[in-house]
Amino acid sequence: MADIPESWKVPPPKAWKLSTPEELVKDVDHRPLSLLGLEKGWMRTAPDVEIKPGMHCHAALPKRLETVDMPNPRQWSAMDEDWKLPRNWKEIILEGFKDRLGRFRSFQLFMDICVRCGACADKCHYFIGSADPKNMPVLRAELLRSIYRKYFTTAGKLLGPIAGARELTLDVLREWWYYLYQCTECRRCSVFCPYGIDTAEITMMGRELTNLLGLNIDWIAAPVAFCYRTGNHMGIQPHAYKDMIEFFLDEIENVTGVRMSPTFNRKGAEILFITPSGDVFGDPGTYTCMGYLMLFHELGLDVTWSTYASEGGNFGFFTSNEMMKRLNAKMYAEAKRLGVKWILGGECGHMWRVINQYMGTMNLDIAEGSKLEEPVSPITGTKFENTKSTKMVHITEFTADLIRHNKLKLDPSRNDHLKVTFHDSCNTSRGMGLFEEPRYIIKNVCNHFYDMPAGTIREQTFCCGGGSGLNAGEDMELRMRGGLPRANAVKYVHEKYGVNKLACICAIDRAVLPNLMEYFVPEVDVTGLHEMVANAMILEGEKEKTVDLRGEPLPGREESE
Amino acid sequence: MSLKNLLLQKRSRIVKKWCDVVLRTYPEQSQSFLKKKDPFGNPLGHTIAEGIESIYDELLQGAESDNIPLFFDNIMRVRAVQDFSPSQAVGFVFGLKKVIRKELGSEILKEGISEEWAAFENRIDGLALLCFDIYTACRQKIFDIRVNEVKKQSHRLLKMAGLAYELPGDYEHPGYEGDLKEGQVNKSE
Ligand code: SF4
Ligand code: SF4
């Protein structure tokens, strides 16, 4: 083969070198590091840690941070040499570190007790998809631990690198930022740690610290700012929220011939329904949203939507403890204002981690004096004892209970063209143990269900690759790498059983998985669970259905010409 | 002995070494993980091992098999989103020449089949070109997905606001992937 003349080269950003094929297949990227940390390897930063495009998200715009009074708003970019940090940035970080060690017992513990056994090392989807050792959970945690040792332990102060300690430098900070925003806080690694160390929580602490310097990403900061102003991530105002849902009513009527009439902000309703705004504004979540509407209508449920608590999601959770609490407050505040008895929540992942793990203790004072009580299904009489503290029921718990009590007329053959598999969202599985309800529903609304292989589902489920605010467009390579293990398991059931639908119960999944599928398994499409429920449901007074909610023909019921 | 027989005889050594060539493009600390045989826990290593072995076998079959592009696609789809320059992503294909020369160099001379070898080398060059096409298509796909993501997600809002539009056909690249799937091994002669 002829060599390309040197002068033809488009110079890439870094120094260009003409390689021979032999050189190309030599080791491309050797960064010696050791789990023991005795060699300097993992402590080395620049030039090893190079912030690459496609692997990180855009920096937060100053106006987002200003909206919620977060410190150090400014225009900056991760690709710039100068991050325009405050002069005393190091003190800020170390102060913040100390403060958090004192406030969060788990943080202190996780800094101390890791024995570097390596059990977590190959469990992270970003490591699995990239083979970049710095994506091993244990090394992600070492980012912070090495600083902890240097500034907060005697051994680290005295022995430095030998004790696995390192100086906090600008390069270390860059490395922190790069790899803390390559963790989706999915907690898969924690399932395998014999000590129960939750690297996701270490990432959360690390992100809190970067936030002290104004180093958030816009894909998190923008939804936070919007949510704070208008109640939802998209910054949609109340009238548009209502319009959008009314627009769905037309679509549902076209398909089913039945007109629904949901209510908004209705005082005295029994139940308040809150769902991620992604269901209202982003395909394919919108079809799931139509599913909720149809279900509520068919049951005659005394439920109201809120244009104020118009977001179930909470990107404050990816920002800081305080921001999560602040944005979550509207749920109980609205429940109290409307005087509802309990709250029903739509299909979402991280929303449920916040609700299930934190809301009951974090914001319960807001609910004081409200009419909230232990949720009881008005249709079946089932008491949702598991939600006694939060007063909020996941819609798959609610619907599974309906099906169990035979309260829905279902014709699963309407979904006969679907061969379905189910993606457990990280948060509903590892954050609340919701494994059976979704599967029970799926098996009742369609006839062909195939689980993915063990080790890729339930508590060991793989992340979609875009959780915790990393589902931006600019970090597509990161998303695809991280999504590889998930896509790989879907591909397997696609090839083995002909699976063509990937069902999920998370709004972020519904935004992220379609792209992941398009890249790795284009034959598979993504759906929410309640879209399938609605398509199988026989509505009172419905017309002869020929198409599903997406307007696609139902098997065997195509309109006769 | 014919080249094909030599290649068959040394099959497992060559496949292993070629596979190592690919694996060595990943960091040292990840080598033992990548060698783990676990199709779901280690999809990257599995795809590479399976792909390399199958490509080698198909190559020996002589005919220009439809499966070669598929196996390359599996490997390149991942490498196209990893930390590689295009040349690094594709370079491993040439590694096969080096591996074979090392394993069979003296036999090839002894048996006087260097012409056969030259033809085989040509086919390896063809593989590299194919691989580069696939890499480029994967990159293009990533760009398409990026553009379409924004469009898809805001489509409903625009529709509601009376600003509905349909995605222009050229964004969809109908048949784009199809080309690849049916793609043939490039002929480099
Ligand atoms: S599994 Fe736990 S103890 Fe072992 S290296 Fe990982 S975090 Fe440390
Ligand atoms: S929480 Fe998830 S993304 Fe983060 S290190 Fe663990 S496995 Fe990786």
Side-chain angles (χ1 to χ4, degrees):
Chain A
M1 266 197 330
D3 275 340
I4 305 169
E6 196 75 41
S7 58
W8 287 9
K9 300 280 151 53
V10 181
K14 296 271 155 178
W16 175 268
K17 178 169 141 294
L18 180 58
S19 317
T20 65
E22 256 98 65
E23 280 168 331
L24 284 176
V25 300
K26 268 197 347 225
D27 317 340
V28 169
D29 186 10
H30 270 190
R31 299 174 206 173
L33 39 122
S34 138
L35 281 180
L36 284 172
L38 291 174
E39 289 89 323
K40 289 235 185 73
W42 60 264
M43 285 186 277
R44 222 168 58 202
T45 47
D48 279 348
V49 175
E50 184 194 335
I51 294 187
K52 295 189 175 150
M55 287 296 292
H56 64 89
C57 300
H58 295 325
L61 296 177
K63 63 181 177 198
R64 320 274 197 224
L65 304 189
E66 282 155 9
T67 307
V68 286
D69 305 312
M70 288 190 52
N72 293 306
R74 66 191 180 282
Q75 201 86 43
W76 68 286
S77 159
M79 298 300 282
D80 291 346
E81 260 322 291
D82 179 8
W83 282 10
K84 302 185 195 141
L85 294 166
R87 284 168 69 137
N88 59 339
W89 70 266
K90 209 164 142 176
E91 280 150 56
I92 296 177
I93 292 274
L94 292 175
E95 271 303 305
F97 211 128
K98 194 169 155 204
D99 169 50
R100 279 160 186 78
L101 286 170
R103 273 198 290 146
F104 304 107
R105 177 94 188 100
S106 55
F107 187 37
Q108 173 77 57
L109 260 177
F110 294 167
M111 287 296 102
D112 284 328
I113 63 173
C114 170
V115 295
R116 305 202 216 179
C117 68
C120 61
D122 58 359
K123 303 303 186 292
C124 174
H125 50 284
Y126 286 124
F127 172 69
I128 294 172
S130 69
D132 176 355
K134 298 218 171 189
N135 271 319
M136 293 176 183
V138 55
L139 290 187
R140 200 185 310 284
E142 282 297 326
L143 294 171
L144 268 75
R145 241 179 234 132
S146 55
I147 301 304
Y148 165 74
R149 291 195 196 99
K150 175 77 196 169
Y151 297 92
F152 303 101
T153 69
T154 315
K157 276 179 201 162
L158 292 176
L159 300 172
I162 300 172
R166 64 175 175 173
E167 204 73 51
L168 179 57
T169 63
L170 259 179
D171 285 331
V172 168
L173 181 69
R174 291 166 80 89
E175 188 188 34
W176 267 25
W177 187 84
Y178 194 49
Y179 285 102
L180 291 174
Y181 291 91
Q182 284 186 39
C183 166
T184 46
E185 304 181 358
C186 77
R187 295 171 92 206
R188 187 170 193 269
C189 49
S190 75
V191 172
F192 298 88
C193 175
Y195 293 86
I197 294 175
D198 186 349
T199 304
E201 289 203 10
I202 299 177
T203 298
M204 286 175 199
M205 290 297 115
R207 286 194 186 182
E208 284 202 11
L209 295 175
T210 60
N211 271 316
L212 298 176
L213 303 178
L215 296 176
N216 207 343
I217 58 173
D218 207 54
W219 201 260
I220 294 175
V224 164
F226 282 138
C227 216
Y228 181 65
R229 284 185 62 90
T230 62
N232 59 65
H233 289 164
M234 320 279 225
I236 305 288
Q237 296 180 26
H239 59 281
Y241 189 86
K242 185 164 172 275
D243 280 359
M244 196 68 200
I245 288 178
E246 276 165 1
F247 178 71
F248 294 159
L249 301 181
D250 296 340
E251 298 206 358
I252 296 171
E253 192 175 2
N254 283 341
V255 173
T256 65
V258 182
R259 184 81 192 174
M260 341 235 117
S261 44
T263 61
F264 297 90
N265 309 325
R266 179 167 54 89
K267 287 193 177 169
E270 181 184 357
I271 304 164
L272 165 65
F273 180 65
I274 301 177
T275 200
S277 64
D279 285 351
V280 183
F281 296 103
D283 287 345
T286 46
Y287 304 109
T288 293
C289 194
M290 293 180 208
Y292 306 145
L293 287 161
M294 288 163 67
L295 180 74
F296 301 162
H297 171 88
E298 193 56 20
L299 297 170
L301 210 60
D302 183 9
V303 62
T304 187
W305 297 65
S306 166
T307 57
Y308 162 61
S310 54
E311 176 64 67
N314 187 335
F315 275 34
F317 179 43
F318 311 135
T319 307
S320 71
N321 197 40
E322 290 75 21
M323 194 57 74
M324 160 173 72
K325 181 172 170 166
R326 197 170 173 191
L327 297 183
N328 172 259
K330 64 175 176 272
M331 290 196 179
Y332 282 147
E334 184 67 337
K336 186 173 172 179
R337 185 178 77 91
L338 299 177
V340 300
K341 286 194 191 157
W342 56 279
I343 311 172
L344 181 63
E347 296 182 10
C348 187
H350 77 285
M351 155 182 170
W352 282 99
R353 180 129 140 239
V354 173
I355 293 166
N356 192 56
Q357 295 199 315
Y358 307 107
M359 184 166 80
T361 44
M362 178 171 71
N363 273 326
L364 209 57
D365 55 323
I366 296 174
E368 250 166 57
S370 74
K371 297 207 171 105
L372 285 171
E373 54 185 50
E374 183 183 350
V376 177
S377 168
I379 313 295
T380 65
T382 299
K383 269 191 187 175
F384 294 99
E385 285 168 16
N386 58 322
T387 63
K388 209 169 187 166
S389 74
T390 61
K391 322 280 189 272
M392 189 153 176
V393 177
H394 193 288
I395 192 151
T396 58
E397 296 172 327
F398 180 71
T399 303
D401 175 62
L402 293 170
I403 296 176
R404 182 97 174 79
H405 287 89
N406 249 323
K407 298 292 180 191
L408 293 180
K409 266 194 239 152
L410 297 168
D411 175 4
S413 76
R414 291 179 177 183
N415 284 322
D416 264 357
H417 52 315
L418 307 183
K419 294 209 164 107
V420 183
T421 193
F422 178 65
H423 163 72
D424 293 274
S425 313
C426 304
N427 288 304
T428 52
S429 52
R430 287 186 282 268
M432 65 190 302
L434 200 66
F435 305 125
E436 300 310 330
E437 290 85 347
R439 288 179 171 80
Y440 180 73
I441 296 174
I442 294 176
K443 287 177 193 162
N444 276 282
V445 300
C446 77
N447 289 320
H448 312 287
F449 173 68
Y450 306 92
D451 241 331
M452 285 179 267
T456 73
I457 51 169
R458 297 180 182 256
E459 70 277 7
Q460 294 188 14
T461 188
F462 280 115
C463 179
C464 61
S468 82
L470 302 185
N471 56 321
E474 62 269 18
D475 62 337
M476 198 57 81
E477 281 84 348
L478 175 70
R479 284 169 51 181
M480 293 300 156
R481 287 183 206 190
L484 172 69
R486 171 40 75 231
N488 178 61
V490 175
K491 193 170 176 206
Y492 175 78
V493 283
H494 166 69
E495 285 169 358
K496 186 154 184 193
Y497 306 110
V499 161
N500 56 14
K501 270 282 180 196
L502 175 58
C504 61
I505 49 169
C506 167
I508 290 183
D509 286 335
R510 284 193 283 276
V512 170
L513 291 174
N515 291 322
L516 186 70
M517 289 301 109
E518 192 179 339
Y519 188 67
F520 283 112
V521 206
E523 303 84 357
V524 177
D525 200 6
V526 177
T527 180
L529 221 55
H530 278 77
E531 176 184 346
M532 288 171 56
V533 171
N535 278 328
M537 231 164 46
I538 303 170
L539 297 180
E540 187 72 36
E542 72 178 13
K543 67 175 188 187
E544 179 103 21
K545 266 166 80 170
T546 53
V547 291
D548 63 13
L549 287 172
R550 299 193 190 193
E552 288 160 12
L554 289 175
R557 295 184 179 78
E558 291 84 358
E559 226 155 351
S560 39
E561 300 284 296
Chain B
M1 207 188 294
S2 73
L3 179 64
K4 188 173 167 184
N5 283 345
L6 285 174
L7 290 170
L8 275 173
Q9 223 174 42
K10 290 269 172 109
R11 176 184 177 274
S12 60
R13 270 185 76 88
I14 295 175
V15 166
K16 189 184 165 296
K17 290 200 162 170
W18 191 23
C19 201
D20 281 347
V21 164
V22 189
L23 295 186
R24 278 208 312 276
T25 60
Y26 296 93
E28 170 119 6
Q29 300 73 30
S30 313
Q31 294 297 313
S32 59
F33 166 69
L34 288 174
K35 287 182 180 142
K36 264 194 190 175
K37 285 198 169 37
D38 179 353
F40 303 109
N42 174 23
L44 175 56
H46 176 77
T47 304
I48 291 171
E50 184 195 57
I52 289 295
E53 186 172 0
S54 312
I55 291 166
Y56 186 77
D57 287 344
E58 296 278 341
L59 201 57
L60 291 201
Q61 290 305 311
E64 278 168 4
S65 144
D66 286 351
N67 294 329
I68 289 183
L70 280 182
F71 287 116
F72 267 128
D73 190 280
N74 290 344
I75 297 175
M76 294 317 291
R77 206 151 282 274
V78 189
R79 288 176 76 81
V81 291
Q82 291 175 330
D83 272 348
F84 299 115
S85 68
S87 57
Q88 285 169 340
V90 174
F92 71 90
V93 180
F94 299 108
L96 178 59
K97 288 195 200 175
K98 196 179 160 196
V99 169
I100 296 177
R101 253 186 242 138
K102 221 169 166 184
E103 286 297 315
L104 295 174
S106 48
E107 271 102 329
I108 289 173
L109 282 181
K110 210 168 72 201
E111 303 279 342
I113 47 173
S114 33
E115 240 168 70
E116 219 182 317
W117 168 238
F120 196 78
E121 272 197 319
N122 250 340
R123 296 188 62 208
I124 297 176
D125 290 341
L127 288 188
L129 294 175
L130 166 75
C131 212
F132 191 72
D133 278 352
I134 294 173
Y135 172 87
T136 313
C138 288
R139 293 303 308 166
Q140 184 61 44
K141 188 83 202 164
I142 289 289
F143 299 137
D144 290 347
I145 288 175
R146 258 191 209 159
V147 173
N148 288 339
E149 179 169 71
V150 183
K151 288 175 189 255
K152 266 192 223 155
Q153 284 181 355
S154 51
H155 186 58
R156 220 162 242 288
L157 277 178
L158 293 169
K159 209 162 139 188
M160 185 181 78
L163 299 169
Y165 63 95
E166 292 307 320
L167 299 181
D170 60 335
Y171 276 111
E172 310 274 325
H173 288 292
Y176 196 84
E177 278 204 335
D179 282 354
L180 244 188
K181 291 239 162 77
E182 295 156 354
Q184 287 135 22
V185 182
N186 283 301
K187 297 185 186 110
S188 55
E189 54 263 44

